[in-house]
Amino acid sequence: MRLRIGVLGLQGDFREHVEMLNLIGVETLVVKLPEDLNLIDGLIIPGGESTTMGRIMENVGIKEPLVEKIKEGFPVYGTCAGMILLSKKVSDYNQPLLGVLDIEVERNAYGRQVESFEVDIKIESLGEKPFRAVFIRAPRIINLGENVKVLAEYKGDPVLVREGNILASSFHPELTKDTRIHEYFLRMVEK
Ligand code: GLN
């Protein structure tokens, strides 16, 4: 059976993730409704505005079923706003969260839109070649649980983490041509 990966398409840069998945030749589905979750083997939550995305998720009724699925082992990958939505806690801000990834984040911790930046980081599990990480009003992980594995750091902060079936990055691999993190996620889905 062929795998199909969903990209949450309620808000944010979901089209870029779809293009990335097309590049690696995997079937995709833009997910908008709770029932779409039954048609996919894993889900990417894109970057965007986590407050808006979280509210829309509640409004369309996809938040609760998604949380249930993730708790049962369904693979998810969140980038930037997606990472915020997966987290258990956002410091000094109250917003709808999935609350499944044992991290606390501080939003917009790397500055405003104009202070967006790109930097080469090392991701050991992806080989020697550095990864070009794009940070756009990115969240910073300020606390993490003992079961959360740090896959990459930038200036001492974790920027790519994994807790079992949950992968999250504070940067945007979908805005580069480097497909290695998407392929890594695909391998998580295959297992
Ligand atoms: N600053 C956004 C938020 O807090 C995230 C930005 C992004 O996804 N690039 O939701």
Side-chain angles (χ1 to χ4, degrees):
M1 208 191 79
R2 264 197 87 189
L3 291 176
R4 192 189 288 132
I5 308 238
V7 182
L8 189 66
L10 300 174
Q11 196 268 336
D13 76 334
F14 57 92
R15 290 174 196 86
E16 285 78 359
H17 279 288
V18 171
E19 277 166 30
M20 252 352 218
L21 295 168
N22 288 339
L23 276 180
I24 59 176
V26 61
E27 198 180 322
T28 59
L29 179 74
V30 174
V31 169
K32 292 184 188 281
L33 299 168
E35 47 270 36
D36 294 336
L37 294 175
N38 302 323
L39 306 173
I40 53 173
D41 303 292
L43 179 73
I44 294 180
I45 306 176
E49 202 53 56
S50 59
T51 41
T52 311
M53 216 186 301
R55 282 194 206 113
I56 305 175
M57 286 175 92
E58 286 189 336
N59 290 344
V60 299
I62 203 169
K63 195 185 123 177
E64 289 314 316
L66 179 57
V67 169
E68 287 318 306
K69 269 183 96 85
I70 296 171
K71 285 183 177 163
E72 288 162 12
F74 180 71
V76 279
Y77 172 32
T79 57
C80 202
M83 177 171 98
I84 297 169
L85 285 162
L86 288 169
S87 74
K88 285 220 162 116
K89 190 166 179 222
V90 174
S91 63
D92 62 47
Y93 206 83
N94 197 6
Q95 64 184 88
L97 298 174
L98 298 170
V100 287
L101 173 61
D102 194 7
I103 58 170
E104 177 178 355
V105 300
E106 181 191 341
R107 289 175 64 196
N108 304 317
Y110 295 95
R112 295 172 299 152
Q113 192 85 20
V114 289
E115 288 148 333
S116 300
F117 63 97
E118 296 184 22
V119 66
D120 281 336
I121 59 169
K122 202 173 162 240
I123 306 177
E124 234 154 77
S125 35
L126 298 184
E128 272 303 302
K129 197 179 137 211
F131 199 96
R132 192 83 180 153
V134 182
F135 289 83
I136 303 169
R137 293 189 305 124
R140 187 203 310 268
I141 298 178
I142 55 174
N143 263 311
L144 78 180
E146 56 182 23
N147 295 325
V148 181
K149 209 169 131 195
V150 177
L151 300 177
E153 290 184 350
Y154 169 63
K155 286 191 172 168
D157 291 323
V159 291
L160 175 68
V161 296
R162 175 172 177 183
E163 184 179 3
N165 54 316
I166 306 169
L167 183 69
S169 63
S170 45
F171 57 92
H172 293 270
E174 75 282 11
L175 301 181
T176 70
K177 288 273 171 279
D178 198 331
T179 54
R180 285 179 295 163
I181 297 182
H182 287 76
E183 287 168 89
Y184 178 94
F185 180 60
L186 183 59
R187 288 195 294 275
M188 281 172 59
V189 175
E190 281 164 352
K191 287 219 173 104

